[in-house]
Amino acid sequence: MPDRCTEIARGSIVKMNISKKLSIIVLLTIIEVSITIGAACEIAKGATFQQLNVLHLKFNAQFSRKLVDIQNGARINPQSLTNVVTDVRQQPLDCLTLVNFLDEFIMKQIGTHYALGLCQSDIDVANSALIAIDRYAEGSIGRSALLTELQTAAEEFNANSAEFEPPIAKTVAFILKTLIPLIIFISIFNIAFITYLSRTISASIRNAIGMLQHSNSERDLGDDVEENISGELAELLTVARQRIRSDILNRELSTELELEVEKRTESLQIVNAELAEFAYRASHDLKAPLSSAKGLARFVSQDIDAGDLDEAKLNAQKICIQMEALEKLVVDILSLARADLGTDQKEPVDFKILIRDIKGRLYGQTEDASFAVIEDIEVSTPLVAEKTRLAQIIENLVSNAIKYRDAKKEKPFVIISVSDDSDSYSLTVQDNGIGIPEARRSEVFEMFKRFHPDVGAGTGLGLAIVKKHVDYLCGKIDFESSEDGTTFAVQIPK
Amino acid sequence: MSDLSVLIVDDNEVDRYLLRRQLYETGLNLEVFEEVDGGAALTFLQNFDQNSADCPDTCPPTIIFLDINMPVLTGLEFLEKFAILHRREVFRSCIVMMFTSSEQIEDMHSIERFEFVKDYLVKGSISAADLRHRVERAISID
Ligand SMILES: Nc1ncnc2c1ncn2[C@@H]1O[C@H](COP(=O)(O)OP(=O)(O)OP(=O)(O)O)[C@@H](O)[C@H]1O
Ligand SMILES: [Mg+2]
């Protein structure tokens, strides 16, 4: 299955890291450049060889001329002879040092290696000629022996020179013929391969972009990345995703925090305003009976001085009333403060006993035989709560019913009924009193609000206390009122 | 015949009694009316307005002593309604002296815009001599 295999191979290239692809491109380029440089060097070397050969021929000619002169009877100058032979020997020496392993290998392959043998034989011939010249100078051989020696050397040199030319030319031609196509081939391959790699790089980037653009909101980006993208891009996307996610998280957290702070600040401001209002009203209402009592006391002594004892007595009674009002106010403020605390013991509440006690406390106000307090209590499971809360709720509602009774009605009454169902207790206090003006409906549970100032004394805290207790018990309170009377209904969850 | 008639508007009976007695203590010759809240006081004044045609001798109260914290119509609500009434000829000479136990600064600011409010008395803090002095000054400013 070659197709599948190439597919896999291609797949493995496609999946390769971008940095690996880039290093392959760099490596290929280096190889290409070094082969090109190497070929250029080889070709230059071929030219050098040709030049050396030309030089060699020139020195050979010099040497031959000297030899002809000597044969014609010229005096032998060993020094100048040595110089000429050394010159002749120099070029084959240079040739051999220029040749490297690769050259030798190529020459052996194409059968031009013998050119190097020619160089070596030239060197050997030159060396033996030099030895003969030295021996002649020492006087160990004669003129004719030297001449024969030099004669053979000259012949060898000429023969070698003639033979040296063709193999070098052949080698250079070979190098030109093989390296240039090789270079061209490698370059074409390089260009193709680099193009392919860069295509795969840009394709994987485009692929990632496309995937991000059309990402299916139901699928997790992490899975998409894992399936479709690999290498550094996958890493990049994963890191970016984590970063973005944590950024979003941070932003969400900080907006959440801001909202929370705003909410808290708002509720604090409300509480603050309530507290300021309370302090204002409370101080007003606390100070009023005190300063009244002070003024009255002054008039009492004036009246006594003036002998008007009746007026003095009246004023003393007024002082008493002021003090009672003050006492009630302080007690009410304390109940209001305690309503928020919830420090008392919780116990099952017996409404019958509770209402009996309340009736006892309110007896002074219901003495009037015509005022009827009717109770209707039917509770299946007793309510477990702080008794004082329930007592204060009922007592305040009942005391209002009594206080705001309607003298015009024949039989003033209050009906207290308590019942329960599966999930709550309900308490209603119904009267046939003067009613609460509809216009003031929204203010009924506010502190210090009184709508019948001419009817008896009061602090205006009673219903505020009731509301606080009901809120504490997580219950609800509402009322209905008309000229026929008022009904307060309290619901307390079980 | 009294030199001056005054109206005390206060829901607290004892406070009304105390002010009435203090006003007698000043030695001024006064006729004192009392009302229990702003609404009643407004009705009282409107009736005065209607009656003035019938009995030209009676004149509306020169000084209204006004409490701030009252049910039905508070002192401030009364002042707002009275400001409209005050534009009428009969009430031109009426002045108001606040009479309250609240020493709250906000109250001072909110009543400043009524030019007919001439003074601010704090309950239980003034002597009869003081009261006389303040009443005389308030009338003479007017
Ligand atoms: N059953 C009722 N019938 C008619 N008016 C009522 C009734 N209950 C309350 N009110 C009105 O609501 C006002 C506020 O009642 P709340 O019990 O808070 O104060 P209070 O009775 O005036 O004073 P306190 O109860 O502190 O002595 C009363 O002044 C009264 O005008
Ligand atoms: Mg009450």
Side-chain angles (χ1 to χ4, degrees), chain A residues 355 358-359 362 365-366 371 373-374 391-404 413-416 427-431 463 466 488:
Chain A
I355 290 170
I358 290 169
K359 270 157 102 176
L362 296 175
Q365 299 166 44
T366 55
F371 196 95
V373 180
I374 302 153
Q392 284 183 17
I393 291 173
I394 298 173
E395 183 163 343
N396 272 297
L397 293 176
V398 173
S399 80
N400 283 348
I402 299 168
K403 202 190 299 180
Y404 305 106
F413 65 82
V414 56
I415 304 170
I416 310 159
L427 160 75
T428 56
V429 177
Q430 183 187 356
D431 65 43
L463 288 176
V466 170
F488 277 90

Side-chain angles (χ1 to χ4, degrees), chain A residues 281-296 322-323 325-326 329, chain B residues 10 12 14-15 18 67 69 100-102 123-124:
Chain A
R281 294 303 315 243
S283 58
H284 171 271
D285 286 23
L286 283 171
K287 197 184 165 195
L290 277 176
S291 52
S292 303
K294 188 181 80 182
L296 286 169
Q322 294 297 308
M323 290 301 106
L326 190 62
L329 180 61
Chain B
D10 196 324
N12 191 318
V14 175
D15 285 345
L18 288 171
D67 187 16
N69 297 302
T100 170
S101 63
S102 71
K123 282 179 187 173

Side-chain angles (χ1 to χ4, degrees), chain A residues 280 284 287 294 302-303 311 453, chain B residues 17 21 71 101 103 107 124:
Chain A
Y280 171 59
H284 171 271
K287 197 184 165 195
K294 188 181 80 182
Q302 274 180 17
D303 291 339
E311 187 74 13
Chain B
Y17 173 80
R21 268 200 71 158
S101 63
E103 291 152 275
D107 285 347

Side-chain angles (χ1 to χ4, degrees), chain A residues 194-254:
Chain A
I194 288 170
T195 310
Y196 170 67
L197 285 183
S198 63
R199 281 247 179 97
T200 65
I201 291 173
S202 54
S204 55
I205 290 173
R206 265 199 312 271
N207 176 20
I209 292 171
M211 197 200 70
L212 290 181
Q213 274 172 346
H214 305 114
S215 90
N216 184 342
S217 56
E218 267 149 47
R219 272 178 62 96
D220 186 50
L221 179 63
D223 295 343
D224 272 347
V225 169
E226 215 168 90
E227 273 173 35
N228 301 317
I229 298 170
S230 61
E232 285 115 331
L233 267 184
E235 221 167 284
L236 169 77
L237 288 180
T238 316
V239 171
R241 183 163 151 261
Q242 278 163 1
R243 174 65 196 271
I244 289 168
R245 189 183 280 169
S246 75
D247 275 6
I248 289 172
L249 208 71
N250 280 346
R251 210 168 309 140
E252 271 172 7
L253 275 181
S254 69

